[in-house]
């Protein structure tokens, strides 16, 4: 099935909060009734070629860097002390809940929307335990003025779209607009961690056999 995407937003005054699903698209073309059958075959071949070119373009764009720990600051937003603190904070969070939270900043979305980039990065890195799908990705793209929280199905019940959107709007975006990206990221991570810690179902996963995978 299609992976569900959680809430995203731009830093602009007008908030864009549109939960969506990214699913494989299908292209169709209406041909006039009097077109020759051979022309139909040519058109369909062209469509297939165009489709493969699009797949190739997206594949090339999605050549993501490899993760190094819980915090990957590719946009150079955080200080070394910030990274060290957050690494320790998220390591402790995983030990307590088994949930894997990744913080990622990127200098560019490489032509993708924040939704596409988050979806592909989440899958490419395999964030979260395989059997329980309990990953959380906090993605910030300062150059594109975009931020997104994406979650695996295992934590979707306790961190649904509406709550993720509230965290972005109330805890992160105000700090971003004030020019304090570091504080906005910290506040967002803190809210996510508190939500994960207070839910008993997540804590139970920490001691389950599946959580070790």
């Amino acid at each position: 099935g299609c992976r569900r995407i959680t809430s995203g937003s731009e830093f602009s005054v007008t908030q864009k909060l549109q939960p969506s699903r990214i699913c494989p698209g299908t292209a169709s073309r209406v041909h006039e009734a009097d077109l020759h059958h051979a022309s139909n075959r040519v058109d369909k071949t062209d469509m297939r070629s165009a489709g493969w070119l699009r797949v190739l373009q997206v594949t090339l764009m999605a050549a993501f860097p490899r993760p190094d720990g819980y915090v990957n600051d590719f946009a150079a937003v955080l200080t070394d002390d910030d990274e060290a603190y957050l690494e320790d904070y998220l390591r402790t969070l995983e030990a307590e809940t088994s949930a894997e939270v990744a913080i990622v900043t990127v200098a560019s979305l490489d032509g993708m929307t924040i939704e596409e980039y988050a979806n592909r990065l989440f899958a490419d890195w395999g964030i979260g335990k395989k059997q329980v799908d309990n990953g959380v990705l906090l993605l910030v793209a300062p150059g594109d003025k975009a931020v997104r929280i994406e979650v695996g199905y295992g934590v979707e019940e306790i961190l649904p779209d509406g709550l993720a959107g509230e965290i972005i709007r109330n805890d992160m975006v105000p700090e971003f607009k004030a020019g304090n990206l570091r504080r906005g990221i910290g506040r967002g991570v803190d809210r996510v961690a508190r939500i994960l810690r207070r839910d008993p179902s997540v804590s139970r996963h920490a001691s389950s056999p599946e959580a070790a995978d």
Side-chain angles (χ1 to χ4, degrees), residues 110-143:
D110 295 330
M112 288 179 271
T113 65
I114 189 77
E115 295 86 355
E116 290 173 324
Y117 199 101
N119 179 257
R120 294 176 185 279
L121 184 67
F122 194 104
D124 187 73
W125 284 9
I127 300 170
K129 301 294 189 297
K130 183 177 180 181
Q131 298 300 320
V132 291
D133 197 8
N134 61 349
V136 179
L137 169 63
L138 194 160
L139 176 65
V140 180

Side-chain angles (χ1 to χ4, degrees), residues 3-8 22 100 102 114-123 127 135-139 148-152 155 159 161 164 168:
R3 180 166 200 85
R4 184 173 174 179
I5 302 301
T6 61
S7 299
I22 294 179
E100 293 181 3
I114 189 77
E115 295 86 355
E116 290 173 324
Y117 199 101
N119 179 257
R120 294 176 185 279
L121 184 67
F122 194 104
I127 300 170
V136 179
L137 169 63
L138 194 160
L139 176 65
R148 192 163 188 84
I149 295 174
E150 178 158 346
V151 305
V155 293
L159 189 54
D161 291 345
I168 291 172

Side-chain angles (χ1 to χ4, degrees), residues 18-63:
Q18 298 178 336
S20 60
R21 293 176 64 92
I22 294 179
C23 305
T26 56
S28 62
R29 184 171 178 174
V30 178
H31 299 280
E32 295 295 334
D34 59 347
L35 285 179
H36 192 274
H37 183 63
S39 297
N40 248 333
R41 289 200 305 270
V42 171
D43 286 339
K44 290 176 181 177
T45 301
D46 290 343
M47 288 170 62
R48 285 196 297 268
S49 299
W52 278 111
L53 284 173
R54 172 60 181 161
V55 169
L56 179 60
Q57 289 170 345
V58 170
T59 301
L60 290 173
M61 287 190 298

Side-chain angles (χ1 to χ4, degrees), residues 13-213:
V13 175
T14 303
Q15 294 299 311
K16 287 187 175 180
L17 187 60
Q18 298 178 336
S20 60
R21 293 176 64 92
I22 294 179
C23 305
T26 56
S28 62
R29 184 171 178 174
V30 178
H31 299 280
E32 295 295 334
D34 59 347
L35 285 179
H36 192 274
H37 183 63
S39 297
N40 248 333
R41 289 200 305 270
V42 171
D43 286 339
K44 290 176 181 177
T45 301
D46 290 343
M47 288 170 62
R48 285 196 297 268
S49 299
W52 278 111
L53 284 173
R54 172 60 181 161
V55 169
L56 179 60
Q57 289 170 345
V58 170
T59 301
L60 290 173
M61 287 190 298
F64 299 112
R66 291 296 86 201
D68 182 17
Y70 301 91
V71 183
N72 290 269
D73 183 27
F74 301 120
V77 170
L78 304 171
T79 66
D80 291 343
D81 287 345
D82 291 336
E83 290 195 46
Y85 173 81
L86 289 169
E87 280 285 340
D88 184 64
Y89 186 80
L90 296 177
R91 186 180 300 108
T92 301
L93 179 65
E94 182 179 3
E96 293 175 355
T97 67
S98 89
E100 293 181 3
V101 178
I103 301 170
V104 181
T105 72
V106 293
S108 170
L109 293 173
D110 295 330
M112 288 179 271
T113 65
I114 189 77
E115 295 86 355
E116 290 173 324
Y117 199 101
N119 179 257
R120 294 176 185 279
L121 184 67
F122 194 104
D124 187 73
W125 284 9
I127 300 170
K129 301 294 189 297
K130 183 177 180 181
Q131 298 300 320
V132 291
D133 197 8
N134 61 349
V136 179
L137 169 63
L138 194 160
L139 176 65
V140 180
D144 293 276
K145 295 186 177 181
V147 55
R148 192 163 188 84
I149 295 174
E150 178 158 346
V151 305
Y153 288 121
V155 293
E156 195 172 47
E157 184 174 345
I158 62 171
L159 189 54
D161 291 345
L163 184 52
E166 178 190 318
I167 293 169
I168 291 172
R169 290 192 306 272
N170 297 343
D171 295 283
M172 301 183 70
V173 169
E175 297 291 348
F176 291 167
K177 287 181 178 179
N180 199 337
L181 295 176
R182 295 166 53 213
R183 182 172 173 80
I185 291 170
R187 291 191 61 182
V189 171
D190 182 64
R191 277 290 304 277
V192 169
R194 283 189 281 129
I195 290 165
L196 294 173
R197 280 195 172 103
R198 72 172 179 240
D199 189 88
S201 67
V202 176
S203 298
R204 283 197 298 271
H205 283 322
S207 58
S208 67
E210 292 86 354
D213 293 339

